[in-house]
Short mmCIF file of all heavy atoms in Angstrom, two decimals:
data_model
loop_
_atom_site.label_atom_id
_atom_site.label_comp_id
_atom_site.label_asym_id
_atom_site.label_seq_id
_atom_site.Cartn_x
_atom_site.Cartn_y
_atom_site.Cartn_z
N ASP A 1 0.83 -1.17 0.03
CA ASP A 1 -0.04 0.04 -0.03
C ASP A 1 0.88 1.25 0.04
O ASP A 1 0.45 2.24 -0.56
CB ASP A 1 -0.91 -0.01 1.25
CG ASP A 1 -2.02 1.04 1.15
OD1 ASP A 1 -2.60 1.23 0.09
OD2 ASP A 1 -2.13 1.67 2.14
N HIS A 2 1.98 1.20 0.64
CA HIS A 2 2.88 2.44 0.68
C HIS A 2 3.40 2.84 -0.66
O HIS A 2 3.53 4.03 -0.90
CB HIS A 2 4.08 2.19 1.61
CG HIS A 2 3.85 2.34 3.06
ND1 HIS A 2 2.87 3.28 3.50
CD2 HIS A 2 4.27 1.73 4.09
CE1 HIS A 2 2.91 3.25 4.86
NE2 HIS A 2 3.68 2.27 5.20
N ILE A 3 3.73 1.90 -1.59
CA ILE A 3 4.31 2.22 -2.81
C ILE A 3 3.44 1.95 -3.98
O ILE A 3 3.93 1.92 -5.12
CB ILE A 3 5.71 1.56 -2.95
CG1 ILE A 3 5.58 0.07 -2.88
CG2 ILE A 3 6.72 2.14 -1.95
CD1 ILE A 3 6.87 -0.63 -3.21
N SER A 4 2.20 1.78 -3.75
CA SER A 4 1.27 1.56 -4.89
C SER A 4 0.75 2.92 -5.37
O SER A 4 0.11 3.63 -4.65
CB SER A 4 0.08 0.69 -4.44
OG SER A 4 -0.92 0.67 -5.46
N PRO A 5 1.04 3.24 -6.63
CA PRO A 5 0.63 4.57 -7.11
C PRO A 5 -0.93 4.72 -7.31
O PRO A 5 -1.39 5.79 -7.46
CB PRO A 5 1.36 4.74 -8.45
CG PRO A 5 1.84 3.43 -8.78
CD PRO A 5 1.85 2.55 -7.53
N ILE A 6 -1.61 3.54 -7.24
CA ILE A 6 -3.05 3.63 -7.45
C ILE A 6 -3.84 3.43 -6.12
O ILE A 6 -5.07 3.37 -6.13
CB ILE A 6 -3.58 2.65 -8.44
CG1 ILE A 6 -3.21 1.16 -8.03
CG2 ILE A 6 -3.02 2.99 -9.83
CD1 ILE A 6 -3.79 0.15 -8.94
N SER A 7 -3.09 3.41 -5.02
CA SER A 7 -3.76 3.21 -3.69
C SER A 7 -4.47 4.49 -3.26
O SER A 7 -3.89 5.56 -3.40
CB SER A 7 -2.70 2.78 -2.67
OG SER A 7 -3.29 2.83 -1.36
N ASP A 8 -5.68 4.38 -2.68
CA ASP A 8 -6.41 5.56 -2.26
C ASP A 8 -5.67 6.27 -1.09
O ASP A 8 -5.64 7.47 -1.08
CB ASP A 8 -7.75 5.19 -1.83
CG ASP A 8 -7.85 4.14 -0.77
OD1 ASP A 8 -6.89 3.43 -0.61
OD2 ASP A 8 -8.94 4.02 -0.16
N THR A 9 -5.03 5.56 -0.18
CA THR A 9 -4.35 6.21 0.90
C THR A 9 -3.08 6.94 0.42
O THR A 9 -2.76 7.96 0.91
CB THR A 9 -3.92 5.18 1.99
OG1 THR A 9 -3.16 4.09 1.41
CG2 THR A 9 -5.21 4.60 2.63
N THR A 10 -2.45 6.35 -0.63
CA THR A 10 -1.27 7.08 -1.19
C THR A 10 -1.67 8.35 -1.86
O THR A 10 -1.01 9.42 -1.71
CB THR A 10 -0.56 6.17 -2.17
OG1 THR A 10 -0.14 4.94 -1.51
CG2 THR A 10 0.72 6.83 -2.74
N VAL A 11 -2.73 8.30 -2.63
CA VAL A 11 -3.28 9.56 -3.33
C VAL A 11 -3.67 10.56 -2.30
O VAL A 11 -3.34 11.74 -2.38
CB VAL A 11 -4.43 9.14 -4.28
CG1 VAL A 11 -4.98 10.43 -4.82
CG2 VAL A 11 -3.92 8.21 -5.35
N MET A 12 -4.38 10.08 -1.21
CA MET A 12 -4.88 11.08 -0.17
C MET A 12 -3.72 11.68 0.53
O MET A 12 -3.70 12.87 0.85
CB MET A 12 -5.84 10.37 0.72
CG MET A 12 -7.18 10.11 0.12
SD MET A 12 -8.43 9.47 1.20
CE MET A 12 -7.62 8.46 2.42
N SER A 13 -2.66 10.88 0.85
CA SER A 13 -1.51 11.38 1.60
C SER A 13 -0.76 12.44 0.78
O SER A 13 -0.40 13.54 1.30
CB SER A 13 -0.60 10.23 1.94
OG SER A 13 -1.19 9.33 2.87
N SER A 14 -0.53 12.11 -0.45
CA SER A 14 0.22 13.06 -1.30
C SER A 14 -0.64 14.38 -1.54
O SER A 14 -0.02 15.39 -1.53
CB SER A 14 0.64 12.45 -2.61
OG SER A 14 -0.47 12.04 -3.34
N THR A 15 -1.88 14.14 -1.69
CA THR A 15 -2.77 15.41 -1.96
C THR A 15 -2.89 16.25 -0.69
O THR A 15 -2.72 17.48 -0.83
CB THR A 15 -4.16 14.91 -2.43
OG1 THR A 15 -4.08 14.06 -3.58
CG2 THR A 15 -5.07 16.14 -2.75
N SER A 16 -3.06 15.60 0.44
CA SER A 16 -3.23 16.44 1.70
C SER A 16 -1.95 17.12 2.13
O SER A 16 -2.01 18.15 2.79
CB SER A 16 -3.76 15.54 2.84
OG SER A 16 -2.75 14.65 3.21
N THR A 17 -0.81 16.61 1.70
CA THR A 17 0.48 17.24 2.13
C THR A 17 0.93 18.26 1.07
O THR A 17 1.94 18.98 1.34
CB THR A 17 1.54 16.20 2.44
OG1 THR A 17 1.81 15.43 1.22
CG2 THR A 17 1.16 15.31 3.57
N GLY A 18 0.33 18.16 -0.07
CA GLY A 18 0.81 19.09 -1.14
C GLY A 18 1.98 18.56 -1.95
O GLY A 18 2.57 19.21 -2.79
N ALA A 19 2.36 17.31 -1.72
CA ALA A 19 3.46 16.73 -2.38
C ALA A 19 3.00 16.14 -3.70
O ALA A 19 1.83 15.79 -3.90
CB ALA A 19 4.10 15.58 -1.59
N GLY A 20 3.92 16.03 -4.63
CA GLY A 20 3.64 15.32 -5.85
C GLY A 20 3.33 13.87 -5.67
O GLY A 20 3.96 13.25 -4.78
N HIS A 21 2.42 13.33 -6.48
CA HIS A 21 2.04 11.99 -6.17
C HIS A 21 3.16 10.95 -6.35
O HIS A 21 3.42 10.17 -5.43
CB HIS A 21 0.88 11.57 -7.12
CG HIS A 21 0.36 10.21 -6.96
ND1 HIS A 21 -0.15 9.77 -5.75
CD2 HIS A 21 0.33 9.16 -7.81
CE1 HIS A 21 -0.52 8.49 -5.95
NE2 HIS A 21 -0.22 8.14 -7.11
N ILE A 22 3.88 11.00 -7.42
CA ILE A 22 4.91 10.04 -7.63
C ILE A 22 6.10 10.34 -6.72
O ILE A 22 6.78 9.43 -6.28
CB ILE A 22 5.42 10.14 -9.16
CG1 ILE A 22 4.27 9.71 -10.09
CG2 ILE A 22 6.69 9.25 -9.40
CD1 ILE A 22 3.77 8.37 -9.80
N GLU A 23 6.32 11.59 -6.35
CA GLU A 23 7.34 12.00 -5.36
C GLU A 23 7.06 11.30 -4.03
O GLU A 23 7.97 10.87 -3.38
CB GLU A 23 7.42 13.47 -5.22
CG GLU A 23 8.46 13.99 -4.25
CD GLU A 23 8.36 15.50 -4.02
OE1 GLU A 23 7.80 16.19 -4.90
OE2 GLU A 23 8.90 16.00 -3.06
N HIS A 24 5.80 11.36 -3.66
CA HIS A 24 5.45 10.69 -2.39
C HIS A 24 5.72 9.14 -2.45
O HIS A 24 6.18 8.59 -1.41
CB HIS A 24 3.93 10.92 -2.12
CG HIS A 24 3.40 10.24 -0.91
ND1 HIS A 24 3.76 10.57 0.41
CD2 HIS A 24 2.62 9.13 -0.74
CE1 HIS A 24 3.21 9.80 1.20
NE2 HIS A 24 2.46 8.90 0.60
N VAL A 25 5.39 8.56 -3.57
CA VAL A 25 5.65 7.14 -3.68
C VAL A 25 7.11 6.83 -3.54
O VAL A 25 7.54 5.90 -2.98
CB VAL A 25 5.08 6.60 -5.12
CG1 VAL A 25 5.53 5.10 -5.30
CG2 VAL A 25 3.58 6.68 -5.07
N GLU A 26 7.90 7.63 -4.21
CA GLU A 26 9.43 7.44 -4.13
C GLU A 26 9.93 7.65 -2.74
O GLU A 26 10.87 6.93 -2.36
CB GLU A 26 10.05 8.47 -5.12
CG GLU A 26 9.81 8.12 -6.53
CD GLU A 26 10.33 9.22 -7.52
OE1 GLU A 26 10.73 10.29 -7.07
OE2 GLU A 26 10.37 8.90 -8.71
N THR A 27 9.41 8.55 -1.93
CA THR A 27 9.87 8.75 -0.55
C THR A 27 9.54 7.55 0.31
O THR A 27 10.14 7.22 1.26
CB THR A 27 9.30 9.99 0.10
OG1 THR A 27 7.87 9.94 0.10
CG2 THR A 27 9.71 11.27 -0.62
N GLN A 28 8.44 6.83 -0.04
CA GLN A 28 8.02 5.69 0.77
C GLN A 28 8.87 4.46 0.49
O GLN A 28 8.85 3.47 1.22
CB GLN A 28 6.51 5.33 0.57
CG GLN A 28 5.67 6.46 0.96
CD GLN A 28 5.78 6.79 2.42
OE1 GLN A 28 5.66 5.92 3.28
NE2 GLN A 28 6.09 8.01 2.74
N MET A 29 9.60 4.38 -0.61
CA MET A 29 10.48 3.28 -0.96
C MET A 29 11.48 3.02 0.09
O MET A 29 11.85 1.88 0.37
CB MET A 29 11.11 3.56 -2.34
CG MET A 29 10.20 3.64 -3.47
SD MET A 29 10.11 2.05 -4.36
CE MET A 29 9.24 2.52 -5.73
N ALA A 30 12.08 4.11 0.67
CA ALA A 30 13.15 3.91 1.65
C ALA A 30 12.64 3.13 2.91
O ALA A 30 13.45 2.53 3.58
CB ALA A 30 13.66 5.30 2.15
N TYR A 31 11.35 3.26 3.14
CA TYR A 31 10.70 2.47 4.31
C TYR A 31 10.30 1.12 3.93
O TYR A 31 10.26 0.26 4.71
CB TYR A 31 9.61 3.38 4.90
CG TYR A 31 10.01 4.68 5.37
CD1 TYR A 31 9.66 5.79 4.58
CD2 TYR A 31 10.80 4.94 6.44
CE1 TYR A 31 10.04 7.06 4.93
CE2 TYR A 31 11.21 6.22 6.80
CZ TYR A 31 10.85 7.29 6.05
OH TYR A 31 11.20 8.54 6.35
N THR A 32 9.81 0.95 2.70
CA THR A 32 9.12 -0.20 2.29
C THR A 32 10.17 -1.33 1.81
O THR A 32 10.02 -2.50 2.14
CB THR A 32 8.19 0.07 1.12
OG1 THR A 32 7.29 1.10 1.59
CG2 THR A 32 7.37 -1.15 0.78
N LEU A 33 11.18 -0.94 1.04
CA LEU A 33 12.08 -1.92 0.48
C LEU A 33 12.89 -2.72 1.56
O LEU A 33 13.06 -3.92 1.44
CB LEU A 33 13.08 -1.25 -0.51
CG LEU A 33 12.36 -0.73 -1.73
CD1 LEU A 33 13.33 -0.02 -2.67
CD2 LEU A 33 11.66 -1.84 -2.51
N PRO A 34 13.28 -2.16 2.65
CA PRO A 34 13.95 -2.93 3.67
C PRO A 34 12.99 -4.01 4.29
O PRO A 34 13.38 -5.19 4.61
CB PRO A 34 14.40 -1.94 4.79
CG PRO A 34 14.54 -0.66 4.03
CD PRO A 34 13.51 -0.71 2.97
N VAL A 35 11.73 -3.66 4.41
CA VAL A 35 10.78 -4.58 4.99
C VAL A 35 10.55 -5.79 3.98
O VAL A 35 10.43 -6.86 4.28
CB VAL A 35 9.42 -3.81 5.33
CG1 VAL A 35 8.38 -4.86 5.69
CG2 VAL A 35 9.69 -2.80 6.45
N ILE A 36 10.47 -5.36 2.66
CA ILE A 36 10.27 -6.40 1.63
C ILE A 36 11.45 -7.38 1.63
O ILE A 36 11.30 -8.63 1.57
CB ILE A 36 10.16 -5.73 0.27
CG1 ILE A 36 8.81 -5.02 0.17
CG2 ILE A 36 10.28 -6.76 -0.92
CD1 ILE A 36 8.62 -4.20 -1.09
N ALA A 37 12.69 -6.81 1.80
CA ALA A 37 13.91 -7.67 1.85
C ALA A 37 13.83 -8.65 3.15
O ALA A 37 14.13 -9.82 3.03
CB ALA A 37 15.16 -6.84 1.90
N GLY A 38 13.45 -8.09 4.30
CA GLY A 38 13.31 -8.88 5.46
C GLY A 38 12.30 -9.99 5.35
O GLY A 38 12.57 -11.07 5.76
N VAL A 39 11.15 -9.66 4.77
CA VAL A 39 10.10 -10.70 4.54
C VAL A 39 10.57 -11.76 3.57
O VAL A 39 10.33 -12.96 3.75
CB VAL A 39 8.83 -9.99 4.07
CG1 VAL A 39 7.77 -11.03 3.61
CG2 VAL A 39 8.16 -9.18 5.17
N PHE A 40 11.18 -11.35 2.51
CA PHE A 40 11.76 -12.29 1.49
C PHE A 40 12.76 -13.18 2.16
O PHE A 40 12.65 -14.52 1.94
CB PHE A 40 12.46 -11.58 0.37
CG PHE A 40 13.08 -12.47 -0.61
CD1 PHE A 40 12.25 -13.13 -1.55
CD2 PHE A 40 14.45 -12.75 -0.66
CE1 PHE A 40 12.81 -13.98 -2.49
CE2 PHE A 40 14.99 -13.63 -1.47
CZ PHE A 40 14.18 -14.29 -2.49
N CYS A 41 13.66 -12.71 3.02
CA CYS A 41 14.59 -13.65 3.72
C CYS A 41 13.92 -14.58 4.66
O CYS A 41 14.27 -15.74 4.69
CB CYS A 41 15.63 -12.77 4.50
SG CYS A 41 16.78 -11.82 3.43
N ALA A 42 12.86 -14.08 5.38
CA ALA A 42 12.18 -14.90 6.34
C ALA A 42 11.42 -16.01 5.59
O ALA A 42 11.43 -17.16 5.93
CB ALA A 42 11.27 -14.03 7.18
N PHE A 43 10.76 -15.68 4.51
CA PHE A 43 10.00 -16.63 3.71
C PHE A 43 10.94 -17.69 3.17
O PHE A 43 10.61 -18.87 3.15
CB PHE A 43 9.25 -15.84 2.55
CG PHE A 43 8.29 -16.73 1.80
CD1 PHE A 43 7.11 -17.12 2.31
CD2 PHE A 43 8.66 -17.21 0.49
CE1 PHE A 43 6.20 -17.85 1.57
CE2 PHE A 43 7.76 -17.97 -0.15
CZ PHE A 43 6.55 -18.33 0.35
N ALA A 44 12.07 -17.33 2.64
CA ALA A 44 13.00 -18.27 1.99
C ALA A 44 13.50 -19.20 3.16
O ALA A 44 13.64 -20.43 2.91
CB ALA A 44 14.18 -17.57 1.37
N LEU A 45 13.81 -18.61 4.29
CA LEU A 45 14.28 -19.42 5.45
C LEU A 45 13.28 -20.38 5.93
O LEU A 45 13.64 -21.53 6.29
CB LEU A 45 14.77 -18.51 6.56
CG LEU A 45 15.63 -19.12 7.64
CD1 LEU A 45 16.91 -19.67 7.05
CD2 LEU A 45 16.04 -18.06 8.65
N VAL A 46 12.03 -20.03 6.01
CA VAL A 46 10.96 -20.98 6.37
C VAL A 46 10.90 -22.10 5.39
O VAL A 46 10.80 -23.35 5.83
CB VAL A 46 9.58 -20.29 6.49
CG1 VAL A 46 8.43 -21.29 6.49
CG2 VAL A 46 9.51 -19.46 7.72
N GLY A 47 11.01 -21.80 4.13
CA GLY A 47 11.04 -22.83 3.13
C GLY A 47 12.17 -23.96 3.28
O GLY A 47 11.93 -25.10 3.06
N VAL A 48 13.26 -23.43 3.71
CA VAL A 48 14.41 -24.33 3.95
C VAL A 48 14.29 -25.10 5.25
O VAL A 48 14.54 -26.33 5.33
CB VAL A 48 15.70 -23.52 3.94
CG1 VAL A 48 16.91 -24.40 4.39
CG2 VAL A 48 15.89 -22.91 2.62
N LEU A 49 13.75 -24.43 6.30
CA LEU A 49 13.76 -25.02 7.67
C LEU A 49 12.45 -25.78 7.99
O LEU A 49 12.36 -26.40 9.04
CB LEU A 49 13.95 -23.94 8.62
CG LEU A 49 15.36 -23.27 8.68
CD1 LEU A 49 15.37 -22.22 9.78
CD2 LEU A 49 16.42 -24.25 8.89
N ILE A 50 11.45 -25.70 7.18
CA ILE A 50 10.15 -26.37 7.53
C ILE A 50 10.25 -27.89 7.75
O ILE A 50 9.56 -28.34 8.57
CB ILE A 50 9.07 -26.05 6.46
CG1 ILE A 50 7.68 -26.23 7.03
CG2 ILE A 50 9.26 -26.84 5.16
CD1 ILE A 50 7.27 -25.22 8.03
N PRO A 51 11.14 -28.60 7.14
CA PRO A 51 11.24 -29.99 7.47
C PRO A 51 11.72 -30.25 8.88
O PRO A 51 11.51 -31.38 9.40
CB PRO A 51 12.29 -30.53 6.45
CG PRO A 51 12.32 -29.58 5.29
CD PRO A 51 12.01 -28.24 5.90
N TYR A 52 12.29 -29.32 9.52
CA TYR A 52 12.80 -29.50 10.96
C TYR A 52 11.75 -29.12 11.96
O TYR A 52 12.10 -29.19 13.13
CB TYR A 52 14.06 -28.69 11.08
CG TYR A 52 15.16 -29.05 10.14
CD1 TYR A 52 15.53 -28.23 9.01
CD2 TYR A 52 15.82 -30.32 10.33
CE1 TYR A 52 16.51 -28.60 8.18
CE2 TYR A 52 16.86 -30.63 9.42
CZ TYR A 52 17.14 -29.81 8.32
OH TYR A 52 18.13 -30.20 7.42
N GLY A 53 10.60 -28.71 11.57
CA GLY A 53 9.50 -28.36 12.52
C GLY A 53 8.97 -26.97 12.25
O GLY A 53 9.74 -26.05 11.95
N LEU A 54 7.68 -26.89 12.32
CA LEU A 54 6.98 -25.60 12.05
C LEU A 54 7.40 -24.49 13.01
O LEU A 54 7.73 -23.42 12.65
CB LEU A 54 5.51 -25.80 12.08
CG LEU A 54 4.66 -24.57 11.85
CD1 LEU A 54 4.92 -23.99 10.45
CD2 LEU A 54 3.19 -24.90 12.03
N TYR A 55 7.38 -24.77 14.30
CA TYR A 55 7.65 -23.77 15.30
C TYR A 55 9.14 -23.24 15.24
O TYR A 55 9.35 -22.09 15.36
CB TYR A 55 7.25 -24.18 16.65
CG TYR A 55 5.78 -24.45 16.75
CD1 TYR A 55 5.25 -25.74 17.05
CD2 TYR A 55 4.85 -23.43 16.60
CE1 TYR A 55 3.96 -25.98 17.13
CE2 TYR A 55 3.50 -23.73 16.67
CZ TYR A 55 3.05 -24.94 16.96
OH TYR A 55 1.67 -25.14 17.07
N SER A 56 9.99 -24.15 15.18
CA SER A 56 11.42 -23.74 15.13
C SER A 56 11.75 -22.92 13.83
O SER A 56 12.49 -21.94 13.84
CB SER A 56 12.39 -24.90 15.24
OG SER A 56 12.25 -25.86 14.21
N ALA A 57 11.11 -23.40 12.73
CA ALA A 57 11.31 -22.69 11.40
C ALA A 57 10.70 -21.26 11.51
O ALA A 57 11.32 -20.27 11.11
CB ALA A 57 10.71 -23.45 10.32
N ALA A 58 9.54 -21.17 12.09
CA ALA A 58 8.77 -19.89 12.17
C ALA A 58 9.57 -19.01 13.03
O ALA A 58 9.76 -17.74 12.79
CB ALA A 58 7.44 -20.09 12.62
N ALA A 59 10.03 -19.47 14.25
CA ALA A 59 10.80 -18.60 15.15
C ALA A 59 12.10 -18.10 14.57
O ALA A 59 12.46 -16.94 14.71
CB ALA A 59 11.04 -19.33 16.48
N THR A 60 12.75 -18.99 13.89
CA THR A 60 14.13 -18.64 13.31
C THR A 60 13.82 -17.65 12.25
O THR A 60 14.56 -16.66 12.06
CB THR A 60 14.80 -19.84 12.87
OG1 THR A 60 15.01 -20.81 13.87
CG2 THR A 60 16.17 -19.51 12.22
N ALA A 61 12.92 -17.89 11.33
CA ALA A 61 12.62 -17.03 10.19
C ALA A 61 12.12 -15.64 10.64
O ALA A 61 12.58 -14.60 10.11
CB ALA A 61 11.61 -17.60 9.27
N LEU A 62 11.29 -15.59 11.71
CA LEU A 62 10.89 -14.32 12.21
C LEU A 62 12.02 -13.49 12.80
O LEU A 62 12.18 -12.29 12.49
CB LEU A 62 9.76 -14.51 13.27
CG LEU A 62 9.20 -13.27 13.91
CD1 LEU A 62 8.50 -12.41 12.94
CD2 LEU A 62 8.30 -13.60 15.06
N SER A 63 12.88 -14.15 13.51
CA SER A 63 14.03 -13.46 14.04
C SER A 63 14.95 -12.98 12.92
O SER A 63 15.44 -11.84 12.93
CB SER A 63 14.82 -14.47 14.88
OG SER A 63 14.09 -14.94 15.94
N MET A 64 15.15 -13.79 11.94
CA MET A 64 16.02 -13.38 10.80
C MET A 64 15.41 -12.15 10.06
O MET A 64 16.13 -11.24 9.63
CB MET A 64 16.27 -14.56 9.86
CG MET A 64 17.00 -14.19 8.60
SD MET A 64 18.71 -13.73 9.08
CE MET A 64 19.62 -14.68 8.01
N GLY A 65 14.09 -12.24 9.81
CA GLY A 65 13.42 -11.15 9.11
C GLY A 65 13.53 -9.84 9.86
O GLY A 65 13.74 -8.74 9.25
N VAL A 66 13.31 -9.85 11.21
CA VAL A 66 13.43 -8.73 12.01
C VAL A 66 14.89 -8.15 11.96
O VAL A 66 15.10 -7.00 11.83
CB VAL A 66 12.99 -8.98 13.50
CG1 VAL A 66 13.41 -7.81 14.39
CG2 VAL A 66 11.54 -9.22 13.53
N VAL A 67 15.89 -9.03 12.08
CA VAL A 67 17.24 -8.56 12.04
C VAL A 67 17.65 -7.95 10.66
O VAL A 67 18.34 -6.93 10.61
CB VAL A 67 18.25 -9.75 12.36
CG1 VAL A 67 19.69 -9.47 12.03
CG2 VAL A 67 18.05 -10.17 13.85
N VAL A 68 17.18 -8.58 9.64
CA VAL A 68 17.49 -8.09 8.29
C VAL A 68 16.81 -6.67 8.15
O VAL A 68 17.49 -5.69 7.62
CB VAL A 68 17.07 -9.03 7.15
CG1 VAL A 68 17.09 -8.38 5.82
CG2 VAL A 68 17.95 -10.22 7.20
N THR A 69 15.58 -6.58 8.54
CA THR A 69 14.83 -5.27 8.38
C THR A 69 15.50 -4.23 9.19
O THR A 69 15.77 -3.09 8.64
CB THR A 69 13.42 -5.47 8.80
OG1 THR A 69 12.81 -6.50 7.96
CG2 THR A 69 12.60 -4.19 8.62
N ILE A 70 15.77 -4.48 10.48
CA ILE A 70 16.35 -3.45 11.32
C ILE A 70 17.76 -3.05 10.80
O ILE A 70 18.17 -1.89 10.84
CB ILE A 70 16.38 -3.85 12.83
CG1 ILE A 70 14.99 -3.93 13.30
CG2 ILE A 70 17.28 -2.98 13.68
CD1 ILE A 70 14.78 -4.44 14.67
N GLY A 71 18.56 -4.10 10.37
CA GLY A 71 19.87 -3.81 9.88
C GLY A 71 19.86 -2.94 8.63
O GLY A 71 20.67 -2.04 8.56
N LEU A 72 18.90 -3.22 7.74
CA LEU A 72 18.86 -2.38 6.48
C LEU A 72 18.41 -0.94 6.82
O LEU A 72 18.89 0.03 6.27
CB LEU A 72 17.97 -3.02 5.51
CG LEU A 72 18.45 -4.23 4.74
CD1 LEU A 72 17.44 -4.90 3.96
CD2 LEU A 72 19.69 -3.86 3.92
N LEU A 73 17.43 -0.85 7.71
CA LEU A 73 16.94 0.46 8.13
C LEU A 73 18.07 1.29 8.85
O LEU A 73 18.18 2.49 8.61
CB LEU A 73 15.72 0.37 9.03
CG LEU A 73 14.40 0.01 8.36
CD1 LEU A 73 13.29 -0.25 9.35
CD2 LEU A 73 14.00 1.06 7.30
N THR A 74 18.84 0.61 9.67
CA THR A 74 19.95 1.31 10.35
C THR A 74 20.98 1.73 9.32
O THR A 74 21.57 2.83 9.42
CB THR A 74 20.52 0.38 11.45
OG1 THR A 74 19.52 -0.03 12.36
CG2 THR A 74 21.69 1.02 12.11
N ALA A 75 21.32 0.86 8.36
CA ALA A 75 22.33 1.13 7.40
C ALA A 75 21.87 2.32 6.53
O ALA A 75 22.62 3.24 6.18
CB ALA A 75 22.58 -0.02 6.54
N LEU A 76 20.56 2.39 6.15
CA LEU A 76 20.10 3.52 5.35
C LEU A 76 20.11 4.80 6.10
O LEU A 76 20.35 5.83 5.55
CB LEU A 76 18.60 3.20 4.92
CG LEU A 76 18.49 2.16 3.76
CD1 LEU A 76 17.01 1.84 3.53
CD2 LEU A 76 19.09 2.71 2.47
N GLN A 77 19.78 4.74 7.40
CA GLN A 77 19.87 5.90 8.25
C GLN A 77 21.34 6.44 8.37
O GLN A 77 21.58 7.61 8.27
CB GLN A 77 19.28 5.59 9.66
CG GLN A 77 19.28 6.80 10.57
CD GLN A 77 18.79 6.56 11.89
OE1 GLN A 77 18.59 5.36 12.34
NE2 GLN A 77 18.40 7.57 12.66
N TYR A 78 22.23 5.57 8.52
CA TYR A 78 23.66 5.90 8.68
C TYR A 78 24.14 6.58 7.35
O TYR A 78 24.79 7.61 7.40
CB TYR A 78 24.49 4.68 8.91
CG TYR A 78 25.94 4.90 8.93
CD1 TYR A 78 26.57 5.54 10.03
CD2 TYR A 78 26.79 4.51 7.92
CE1 TYR A 78 27.92 5.82 10.14
CE2 TYR A 78 28.17 4.84 7.99
CZ TYR A 78 28.71 5.46 9.05
OH TYR A 78 30.00 5.68 9.11
N VAL A 79 23.74 5.93 6.19
CA VAL A 79 24.16 6.47 4.89
C VAL A 79 23.48 7.80 4.60
O VAL A 79 24.12 8.77 4.04
CB VAL A 79 23.79 5.53 3.75
CG1 VAL A 79 23.92 6.08 2.36
CG2 VAL A 79 24.67 4.26 3.92
N SER A 80 22.30 8.03 5.05
CA SER A 80 21.56 9.30 4.74
C SER A 80 22.08 10.43 5.63
O SER A 80 21.88 11.61 5.25
CB SER A 80 20.03 9.09 4.97
OG SER A 80 19.77 8.98 6.34
N HIS A 81 22.73 10.18 6.68
CA HIS A 81 23.26 11.20 7.59
C HIS A 81 24.67 11.62 7.19
O HIS A 81 25.26 12.47 7.79
CB HIS A 81 23.23 10.82 9.03
CG HIS A 81 21.83 10.89 9.64
ND1 HIS A 81 21.00 11.90 9.49
CD2 HIS A 81 21.16 9.89 10.25
CE1 HIS A 81 19.87 11.61 10.05
NE2 HIS A 81 19.86 10.39 10.53
N LYS A 82 25.23 10.97 6.26
CA LYS A 82 26.61 11.30 5.83
C LYS A 82 26.58 12.41 4.82
O LYS A 82 25.74 12.75 4.11
CB LYS A 82 27.34 10.12 5.21
CG LYS A 82 27.89 9.25 6.17
CD LYS A 82 28.90 8.28 5.57
CE LYS A 82 29.86 7.79 6.66
NZ LYS A 82 30.93 7.01 6.12
#
């Protein structure tokens, strides 16, 4: 929803703040892409670990997804302040 150019909430957010529509979508990418990467890693890890048990696979994948997401957000914050 954050980066969908046809989403009603995206259109309303950009209109109410006076920002350009596509400009608003582009600014949301910095927040959305690290989450997408974290979810992708977690999903792939569950696929590999599911034969070892559902709960252990889910716990490990969730932890990995959170670590990847927070790591990417921290790295982006560090790079943007330079």
Side-chain angles (χ1 to χ4, degrees):
D1 190 48
H2 278 325
I3 58 174
S4 173
I6 60 171
S7 170
D8 57 342
T9 55
T10 304
V11 172
M12 288 188 323
S13 295
S14 62
T15 303
S16 67
T17 60
H21 180 62
I22 298 302
E23 179 184 344
H24 176 71
V25 171
E26 290 172 350
T27 60
Q28 295 303 303
M29 294 262 190
Y31 304 106
T32 307
L33 292 179
V35 175
I36 290 172
V39 169
F40 177 79
C41 290
F43 186 77
L45 194 58
V46 164
V48 171
L49 295 177
I50 200 71
Y52 301 105
L54 176 63
Y55 295 116
S56 62
T60 305
L62 178 63
S63 301
M64 177 63 132
V66 168
V67 167
V68 168
T69 302
I70 291 174
L72 286 173
L73 287 171
T74 304
L76 285 172
Q77 183 180 15
Y78 178 75
V79 168
S80 69
H81 287 308
K82 277 193 159 189

